[in-house]
Amino acid sequence: MKSFLVILLIASLLIVVGCGSDLLKDPYYSIPKKLTTNVAHNFKGKVIIIGAGAAGLSAANVLENSNVDYKILEATDRYGGRIKMNDSFADFPIDLGAEWIHNKKAILNRLNGKDGNEPSEDVILYQPRDIYLWDGETYSEMPKGEVDEMYTVLKEYKFKNATWYQFIDNYFAQNVKQNIVYNSPVISINYEGNQVVVTTKNGEKHTADKVIITVSIGVLKSNAIAFEPALPAKKIAAINSVVFPRGFKLFLKFSEKFYPDMIMSETEVGEKTYYDVAYHKDKDNHILGLLSTGTTAEAYYKLGSKEEIVAAVLKELDIIFEGKASQYYSGTYVLKDWGRQAFTLGTWTEGFDEDLYDSLLQSLDNKVYFAGETFGGVYNSTVHGAIISGNKQAIEMLKNR
């Protein structure tokens, strides 16, 4: 079996590096101490942002603070994208989507414009020590030496009493949500004229001088949006090169904690990890999470319903823990399926063709720009990467005449 330490080290490098950068450079130090959100410009036109996730809201804040006429077309009835919260399942709020802060905790202040390195939000240093490995037959503890070595490279945090959704809501959405048009999935973008015409599923046409697309790479890969003229061949190849596995997050409530901090399984593509969602949150509820993407998620999908997936997970846990899962299961769960959600169609970016990355970032005739976690450069696959990407593309758009 491949060393799980090697797997995690590779994963951590993918999280913070992404596209052919110097692997020895800490990307944190290349992030501005404060994101620029007020830009001097000569732009007089209108802008449409497609998608109200972290990148779209970040881009909108630049436009709002720079006195630009804009609106956001959001396919669903809510903002946040792959950032979503459930505050009723447990005695603490749960991140149904993005959950970890894959960087130093001071990154939060660099995103929200506050001074200092200590964020106002309470955060937890996420370094579980009680880690086990499961290959479907053997359940064994991860050697402490490997755990220690892993944390010399990998450092990340989680919110203690809040979520990424609340962070995005407080610092990005509140300033721009009045300009969001909900239930407006975009089906075509025509950029051949002087202006860009964006058509939504209900037949409405919106005209703008510039457009920033922040939909997930899964939506772009699915060709759900038609482009006129068609996308350049290199852009199509770059989009198709992105590894964006489907997957879900499952949360199970138990009356007792019978499981360790984390259980990891090796997978061909993606990951399968059980984890104590209440880790260091000092709460009474016992919530075990399952993050399943790629190979294992596809296998779960074949079972059919959510109930059948939950039953399979409980059966596996009963094998590992000699029936304790069924004994202590409360009968309640939450399953958020990002992989089959029509306006997401995946989880997060796991890789791409580095030789095509410049084509992935390239705008269409300086009229249509692309932003999101996939387009975050050295910060891709992260929430802060999405925020930085939206901010950067909005500024680039305003300055590029």
Side-chain angles (χ1 to χ4, degrees), residues 110-126:
R110 295 198 171 198
L111 299 176
N112 64 25
K114 294 187 176 181
D115 295 324
N117 293 324
E118 196 64 35
S120 56
E121 296 79 13
D122 288 335
V123 297
I124 300 162
L125 176 63
Y126 191 76

Side-chain angles (χ1 to χ4, degrees), residues 192-241:
E192 62 184 348
N194 291 329
Q195 289 191 307
V196 183
V197 179
V198 177
T199 305
T200 59
K201 189 175 182 179
N202 61 11
E204 291 185 355
K205 294 185 181 297
H206 304 263
T207 302
D209 298 280
K210 306 276 187 180
V211 170
I212 302 177
I213 301 175
T214 70
V215 301
S216 80
I217 196 69
V219 172
L220 292 178
K221 287 169 69 73
S222 74
N223 298 316
I225 300 175
F227 289 87
E228 300 176 47
L231 293 176
K234 279 193 174 182
K235 171 74 80 173
I236 294 173
I239 290 172
N240 290 335
S241 80

